[in-house]
Coordinates of all heavy atoms in Angstrom, one line a residue:
R1 N 5.2 13.5 -6.0 CA 6.4 13.2 -6.7 C 6.3 12.1 -7.9 O 7.2 11.7 -8.5 CB 7.5 12.6 -5.8 CG 7.8 13.6 -4.7 CD 8.8 13.0 -3.7 NE 8.5 11.8 -3.1 CZ 9.1 11.2 -2.2 NH1 10.3 11.8 -1.8 NH2 8.7 10.1 -1.6
G2 N 5.0 11.8 -8.2 CA 4.8 10.8 -9.2 C 4.9 9.3 -8.7 O 4.8 8.5 -9.6
H3 N 5.1 9.2 -7.5 CA 5.3 7.8 -6.9 C 3.9 7.3 -6.6 O 3.0 8.1 -6.2 CB 6.1 7.7 -5.8 CG 7.5 8.2 -6.0 ND1 8.4 8.5 -5.0 CD2 8.2 8.3 -7.2 CE1 9.6 8.8 -5.6 NE2 9.5 8.6 -6.8
D4 N 3.7 5.9 -6.4 CA 2.4 5.5 -6.0 C 2.4 5.5 -4.5 O 3.4 5.7 -3.8 CB 2.1 4.1 -6.5 CG 2.9 3.0 -6.0 OD1 3.6 3.2 -5.0 OD2 2.8 1.9 -6.6
A5 N 1.2 5.3 -4.0 CA 0.9 5.5 -2.5 C 1.8 4.5 -1.7 O 2.2 4.9 -0.6 CB -0.6 5.3 -2.3
A6 N 1.9 3.3 -2.2 CA 2.7 2.2 -1.4 C 4.2 2.8 -1.3 O 4.8 2.7 -0.2 CB 2.7 0.9 -2.0
D7 N 4.7 3.3 -2.3 CA 6.1 3.8 -2.3 C 6.2 4.9 -1.3 O 7.2 5.0 -0.5 CB 6.6 4.3 -3.6 CG 6.9 3.1 -4.6 OD1 7.2 2.0 -4.1 OD2 6.8 3.3 -5.8
E8 N 5.2 5.8 -1.3 CA 5.3 7.0 -0.4 C 5.2 6.6 1.1 O 5.9 7.0 2.0 CB 4.1 8.0 -0.8 CG 4.3 8.7 -2.1 CD 5.5 9.5 -2.3 OE1 6.4 9.7 -1.3 OE2 5.7 10.1 -3.3
V9 N 4.3 5.6 1.4 CA 4.2 5.1 2.7 C 5.4 4.4 3.1 O 6.0 4.7 4.3 CB 3.0 4.2 2.8 CG1 3.0 3.5 4.2 CG2 1.7 5.1 2.7
L10 N 6.1 3.5 2.4 CA 7.2 2.7 2.7 C 8.4 3.8 2.8 O 9.2 3.5 3.7 CB 7.5 1.7 1.6 CG 6.5 0.6 1.6 CD1 6.6 -0.2 0.3 CD2 6.5 -0.2 2.8
D11 N 8.5 4.8 2.0 CA 9.6 5.7 2.1 C 9.5 6.5 3.3 O 10.5 6.8 4.0 CB 9.6 6.7 0.9 CG 10.0 6.1 -0.5 OD1 10.5 4.9 -0.4 OD2 9.9 6.8 -1.5
A12 N 8.3 6.9 3.7 CA 8.1 7.7 5.0 C 8.4 6.8 6.2 O 9.0 7.3 7.1 CB 6.6 8.2 5.1
A13 N 8.0 5.5 6.1 CA 8.3 4.6 7.2 C 9.8 4.5 7.4 O 10.3 4.5 8.6 CB 7.7 3.2 6.9
E14 N 10.6 4.4 6.3 CA 12.0 4.3 6.5 C 12.6 5.6 6.9 O 13.5 5.6 7.9 CB 12.5 3.8 5.1 CG 14.2 3.7 5.2 CD 14.7 3.3 3.8 OE1 14.0 2.7 3.0 OE2 16.0 3.6 3.6
S15 N 12.3 6.7 6.5 CA 12.9 8.0 6.7 C 12.5 8.5 8.1 O 13.2 9.3 8.7 CB 12.6 9.1 5.7 OG 11.3 9.4 5.5
H16 N 11.3 8.1 8.6 CA 10.9 8.5 10.0 C 11.0 7.5 11.0 O 10.5 7.7 12.1 CB 9.4 9.0 9.8 CG 9.3 10.3 9.1 ND1 9.4 11.6 9.7 CD2 9.1 10.5 7.8 CE1 9.2 12.4 8.8 NE2 9.0 11.9 7.6
G17 N 11.7 6.4 10.7 CA 11.9 5.4 11.7 C 10.7 4.8 12.3 O 10.4 4.8 13.5
A18 N 9.8 4.3 11.4 CA 8.5 3.8 11.8 C 8.6 2.5 12.7 O 9.4 1.6 12.4 CB 7.6 3.6 10.7
G19 N 7.9 2.5 13.8 CA 7.7 1.2 14.5 C 6.5 0.6 14.2 O 6.3 -0.6 14.5
L20 N 5.6 1.3 13.4 CA 4.3 0.7 13.0 C 3.8 1.5 11.8 O 4.0 2.7 11.7 CB 3.3 0.8 14.2 CG 1.9 0.3 13.8 CD1 1.9 -1.2 13.7 CD2 1.0 0.7 15.0
I21 N 3.2 0.8 10.9 CA 2.5 1.4 9.8 C 1.1 1.0 9.9 O 0.7 -0.1 10.2 CB 3.1 0.9 8.4 CG1 4.5 1.4 8.2 CG2 2.1 1.5 7.2 CD1 5.1 0.7 6.9
V22 N 0.1 2.0 9.7 CA -1.3 1.7 9.8 C -1.9 2.0 8.4 O -1.6 3.1 7.9 CB -2.0 2.5 10.9 CG1 -3.5 2.2 11.0 CG2 -1.4 2.3 12.2
I23 N -2.7 1.1 7.9 CA -3.3 1.3 6.6 C -4.8 0.9 6.7 O -5.1 0.0 7.5 CB -2.6 0.5 5.4 CG1 -2.6 -1.0 5.8 CG2 -1.2 1.1 5.3 CD1 -2.1 -1.9 4.6
G24 N -5.6 1.4 5.9 CA -6.9 1.1 5.8 C -7.2 0.1 4.7 O -6.5 0.2 3.7
L25 N -8.2 -0.8 4.8 CA -8.4 -1.8 3.8 C -9.8 -1.6 3.3 O -10.7 -1.4 4.1 CB -8.2 -3.3 4.4 CG -7.0 -3.7 4.8 CD1 -7.1 -5.2 5.3 CD2 -6.0 -3.7 3.6
R26 N -10.0 -1.7 2.0 CA -11.2 -1.6 1.4 C -11.7 -3.0 0.9 O -10.8 -3.8 0.7 CB -11.4 -0.6 0.3 CG -10.5 -0.9 -0.9 CD -10.5 0.2 -1.8 NE -9.6 0.0 -2.8 CZ -9.9 0.0 -4.1 NH1 -11.1 0.2 -4.6 NH2 -9.0 -0.1 -5.0
R27 N -12.9 -3.3 1.0 CA -13.4 -4.5 0.5 C -13.3 -4.6 -1.0 O -13.7 -3.7 -1.8 CB -14.8 -4.8 0.8 CG -15.0 -4.7 2.4 CD -16.4 -4.9 2.9 NE -16.7 -4.4 4.3 CZ -16.0 -4.9 5.4 NH1 -15.0 -5.7 5.3 NH2 -16.4 -4.4 6.6
R28 N -12.7 -5.7 -1.5 CA -12.6 -5.9 -3.0 C -12.9 -7.4 -3.3 O -12.6 -8.3 -2.4 CB -11.2 -5.5 -3.4 CG -10.8 -4.2 -3.2 CD -9.4 -3.8 -3.6 NE -9.2 -4.0 -4.9 CZ -8.1 -3.7 -5.5 NH1 -7.1 -3.2 -4.8 NH2 -7.9 -3.8 -6.8
T29 N -13.3 -7.6 -4.5 CA -13.6 -9.0 -5.0 C -12.3 -9.7 -5.2 O -11.3 -8.9 -5.5 CB -14.5 -9.0 -6.2 OG1 -13.7 -8.4 -7.3 CG2 -15.7 -8.3 -5.9
P30 N -12.2 -11.0 -5.2 CA -10.9 -11.7 -5.5 C -10.4 -11.3 -7.0 O -9.2 -11.1 -7.2 CB -11.2 -13.2 -5.4 CG -12.3 -13.2 -4.5 CD -13.2 -11.9 -4.6
V31 N -11.3 -11.1 -7.9 CA -11.0 -10.8 -9.2 C -10.4 -9.3 -9.2 O -9.4 -9.0 -9.9 CB -12.1 -10.9 -10.2 CG1 -11.8 -10.4 -11.6 CG2 -12.5 -12.4 -10.3
G32 N -11.1 -8.5 -8.5 CA -10.6 -7.1 -8.4 C -9.1 -7.0 -7.9 O -8.3 -6.2 -8.3
K33 N -8.8 -7.8 -6.9 CA -7.5 -7.9 -6.3 C -6.4 -8.4 -7.3 O -5.3 -7.9 -7.5 CB -7.5 -8.9 -5.1 CG -8.2 -8.3 -3.9 CD -8.2 -9.2 -2.8 CE -9.1 -8.8 -1.7 NZ -9.4 -9.9 -0.8
L34 N -6.9 -9.3 -8.1 CA -6.0 -9.9 -9.2 C -5.7 -9.0 -10.3 O -4.5 -8.8 -10.6 CB -6.6 -11.2 -9.7 CG -5.9 -11.9 -10.8 CD1 -4.6 -12.4 -10.3 CD2 -6.7 -13.1 -11.4
I35 N -6.7 -8.3 -10.8 CA -6.5 -7.5 -11.9 C -5.8 -6.1 -11.5 O -5.0 -5.6 -12.1 CB -7.9 -7.1 -12.6 CG1 -8.4 -8.5 -13.2 CG2 -7.8 -6.1 -13.6 CD1 -9.8 -8.4 -13.7
M36 N -6.3 -5.5 -10.4 CA -5.8 -4.2 -10.1 C -4.6 -4.2 -9.2 O -4.0 -3.1 -9.1 CB -6.9 -3.5 -9.3 CG -8.2 -3.3 -10.1 SD -8.0 -2.4 -11.6 CE -7.9 -0.7 -10.8
G37 N -4.2 -5.3 -8.5 CA -3.0 -5.2 -7.7 C -3.7 -4.6 -6.4 O -4.8 -4.3 -6.2
S38 N -2.8 -4.3 -5.5 CA -3.1 -3.8 -4.2 C -2.0 -3.0 -3.4 O -1.0 -3.6 -3.2 CB -3.6 -4.9 -3.3 OG -3.8 -4.5 -2.0
T39 N -2.3 -1.8 -3.2 CA -1.4 -0.9 -2.5 C -1.1 -1.5 -1.1 O 0.0 -1.6 -0.6 CB -1.9 0.5 -2.4 OG1 -2.1 1.0 -3.7 CG2 -1.0 1.4 -1.5
A40 N -2.2 -1.9 -0.4 CA -2.1 -2.5 0.9 C -1.2 -3.8 0.8 O -0.4 -4.0 1.7 CB -3.5 -2.9 1.4
Q41 N -1.4 -4.6 -0.2 CA -0.6 -5.8 -0.3 C 0.9 -5.5 -0.4 O 1.7 -6.1 0.2 CB -1.0 -6.7 -1.4 CG -0.3 -8.0 -1.6 CD -0.8 -8.8 -2.8 OE1 -1.6 -8.3 -3.5 NE2 -0.4 -10.0 -2.8
R42 N 1.3 -4.5 -1.3 CA 2.7 -4.1 -1.3 C 3.2 -3.7 0.0 O 4.3 -4.0 0.4 CB 2.7 -3.0 -2.4 CG 2.7 -3.6 -3.8 CD 3.3 -2.7 -4.9 NE 4.7 -2.1 -4.5 CZ 4.9 -0.9 -4.6 NH1 4.2 0.0 -5.2 NH2 6.1 -0.4 -4.2
I43 N 2.5 -2.8 0.7 CA 2.9 -2.4 2.0 C 3.1 -3.5 2.9 O 4.1 -3.6 3.6 CB 1.9 -1.3 2.5 CG1 2.0 -0.1 1.7 CG2 2.3 -1.0 4.0 CD1 0.9 1.0 2.0
L44 N 2.1 -4.4 3.0 CA 2.2 -5.6 3.9 C 3.4 -6.4 3.6 O 4.1 -6.9 4.5 CB 1.0 -6.4 3.8 CG -0.3 -5.9 4.5 CD1 -1.6 -6.5 4.0 CD2 -0.2 -5.9 6.0

């Protein structure tokens, strides 16, 4: 639908009555987190 992954996960959690969301984390440098943002951070 053109949405980013965080939006899709959050929408699914709401529409399916999630009691838990599970996400995978990749290792990133602090600068990489600052510049690129983080899907995981938005979900958290």
